[in-house]
Amino acid sequence: MTELGAIAAGNRAKAVLWILLQTGVSLVSCALVVFSTLSAAGCGDGCDYGTLSFAVHSAFTVCGGAFVASIASLILLRRRPLWWLPAIATGVVILWTVVAVVLVHIATHP
């Protein structure tokens, strides 16, 4: 194996590990957002259901979109996979989870 081939294999391994980490983070993220919506049961008509719906749907969209983008980058860049693309996507998922949970809190605590 050439040195360039070894570097490409190492980058591919890093990319795959980041995608696995991102998958776990996304699953936990979606569960956290869904479980945070359980507080809507206590607010009745006082909840802002539009914001609540946006928070949940956007969390699922961001998690799914980040996963698709990471897999696509790995497939499209077969010869030179970029491990930092899934790492950035993982950061985006974490950031949007915080935003979604804050939105759920605002929607359920008028």
Side-chain angles (χ1 to χ4, degrees):
M1 180 181 294
T2 66
E3 185 177 334
L4 185 60
I7 291 171
N11 281 344
R12 186 178 316 275
K14 284 181 188 176
V16 168
L17 288 174
W18 272 104
I19 288 173
L20 290 174
L21 176 67
Q22 178 188 350
T23 302
V25 167
S26 293
L27 291 173
V28 170
S29 167
C30 289
L32 181 64
V33 171
V34 167
F35 287 138
S36 69
T37 63
L38 294 176
S39 61
C43 67
D45 291 335
C47 283
D48 180 2
Y49 289 106
T51 303
L52 191 62
S53 177
F54 172 76
V56 173
H57 288 103
S58 66
F60 283 117
T61 302
V62 168
C63 289
F67 180 75
V68 168
S70 293
I71 295 295
S73 72
L74 188 63
I75 291 170
L76 294 175
L77 302 170
R78 280 178 280 166
R79 295 194 73 186
R80 191 177 188 118
L82 302 173
W83 62 269
W84 51 268
L85 289 173
I88 290 173
T90 302
V92 168
V93 167
I94 292 169
L95 178 66
W96 192 255
T97 300
V98 171
V99 170
V101 168
V102 168
L103 287 174
V104 167
H105 181 76
I106 289 169
T108 57
H109 292 85

